[in-house]
Amino acid sequence: MFDLLLKNQLSAPKKLKFKNEILARVQGRNSEALNDEINFYKTELLPYFIKLSQQNPVFSVTEQLRLLVGVWTPIWSTISFHESLPKRIQDQSFQIFQHDGYCASVARYIMGKEQSLSDNFQSRLPAYDFMVIQKYGVQNGKWYLQNIDRFQAFTNREIPLTLESVYNWFTDVVNTKVKLNASKGVLPKALKLENIEINHVNGFQKTSLVTSQVFEHLYIDNDLRLVKTQTDASHLPSYTIAVKR
């Protein structure tokens, strides 16, 4: 399989075929333990990452900007932070990139989906919406991300988190809080998480605070991104597949 993938350039139909195959392999995949996902990447997805990275249509990070701006959904990832909170709803997960250098990762988490709870009781529990506001840009020819603030909301789980509601929330907090806090030099405060079940508390708190990381588009086009992310050279890289909304 590896030899076959590495030999020849892909024609447009074959590239589309490989894109569809990698999407099919992660379609409907339930979140597994991080080690399982890393192994899944090595054994199932790596050949596709290798071949598509060789066919990356846009290598220049400055030229990638026109493709990056917009709204994406991460459909598979080895970033442990994505699953630190329980029951992330994939189709209500968003990555928003704006022209002004602000971006956000937003996701809805449904609490109380344990089998021991009745459907009636579960329906009365709120949804938990979590947003990380970031700045992104180019330094020394590489993309970078910097987490600058985090926001949370408990909402009616019967009302879906939509692209419109996410964008309104994002633009509102950027314009009324983030930019104001930045101008005053105010650092983000610790979130009150005592009512939330966290799978990896220390990792969640550390990752959600101010950090910088480099990311690389191994492949990017109008509707698919294969992303390699690394906080620093001493940490193992993470990989994400994202599709355009």
Side-chain angles (χ1 to χ4, degrees):
M1 179 65 171
F2 280 88
D3 292 338
L4 176 63
L5 289 172
L6 292 173
K7 280 183 179 178
N8 302 311
Q9 294 291 311
L10 293 177
S11 63
K14 285 186 177 180
K15 182 188 289 188
L16 179 60
K17 179 176 180 290
F18 272 90
K19 287 171 58 176
N20 289 336
E21 284 185 6
I22 193 173
L23 293 175
R25 287 184 177 271
V26 298
Q27 180 68 37
R29 182 175 173 83
N30 293 324
S31 298
E32 304 288 347
L34 180 59
N35 286 339
D36 292 337
E37 293 306 297
I38 293 173
N39 185 61
F40 179 70
Y41 167 77
K42 292 178 179 178
T43 59
E44 300 288 337
L45 301 182
L46 181 56
Y48 296 94
F49 270 73
I50 291 174
K51 192 58 180 180
L52 286 172
S53 68
Q54 295 173 341
Q55 311 295 319
N56 196 355
V58 183
F59 283 99
S60 168
V61 294
T62 53
E63 293 180 8
Q64 288 173 358
L65 177 62
R66 63 182 174 82
L67 298 175
L68 181 61
V69 169
V71 183
W72 302 78
T73 283
I75 61 171
W76 178 88
S77 181
T78 60
I79 298 176
S80 59
F81 176 72
H82 284 175
E83 307 305 333
S84 294
L85 294 165
K87 308 299 181 184
R88 180 171 68 95
I89 308 303
Q90 187 179 94
D91 62 1
Q92 296 184 52
S93 301
F94 305 83
Q95 292 177 328
I96 303 174
F97 291 88
Q98 294 196 148
H99 285 287
D100 60 3
Y102 281 100
C103 61
S105 293
V106 189
R108 167 159 291 185
Y109 299 85
I110 298 296
M111 298 177 289
K113 281 203 167 185
E114 291 78 8
Q115 294 182 352
S116 60
L117 299 177
S118 68
D119 292 339
N120 185 51
F121 180 78
Q122 290 180 24
S123 66
R124 295 197 299 269
L125 293 174
Y128 179 68
D129 298 337
F130 184 73
M131 174 165 58
V132 177
I133 301 290
Q134 300 166 307
K135 286 284 287 183
Y136 75 99
V138 178
Q139 290 183 348
N140 300 320
K142 296 181 179 181
W143 287 111
Y144 78 93
L145 282 172
Q146 183 177 14
N147 294 353
I148 58 175
D149 217 333
R150 300 95 61 245
F151 298 88
Q152 61 184 351
F154 293 91
T155 56
N156 185 342
R157 67 196 298 163
E158 301 300 323
I159 301 176
L161 188 64
T162 64
L163 176 55
E164 181 180 8
S165 61
V166 165
Y167 187 77
N168 289 339
W169 186 25
F170 170 51
T171 54
D172 178 63
V173 298
V174 167
N175 293 328
T176 63
K177 297 179 182 180
V178 172
K179 292 181 178 179
L180 180 62
N181 289 343
S183 67
K184 295 180 178 180
V186 177
L187 296 175
K189 298 179 181 179
L191 293 173
K192 295 181 179 180
L193 298 167
E194 61 269 17
N195 296 321
I196 304 297
E197 177 189 347
I198 308 293
N199 295 330
H200 309 285
V201 177
N202 292 336
F204 174 82
Q205 291 285 17
K206 181 179 179 180
T207 308
S208 65
L209 292 174
V210 180
T211 61
S212 296
Q213 54 189 335
V214 174
F215 69 102
E216 175 186 0
H217 290 106
L218 302 176
Y219 180 89
I220 181 172
D221 63 20
N222 288 316
D223 53 25
L224 177 71
R225 296 164 57 223
L226 304 182
V227 188
K228 175 183 176 182
T229 310
Q230 199 163 14
T231 53
D232 59 60
S234 65
H235 289 79
L236 292 174
S238 298
Y239 299 93
T240 299
I241 300 173
V243 295
K244 198 72 167 284
R245 298 293 289 223

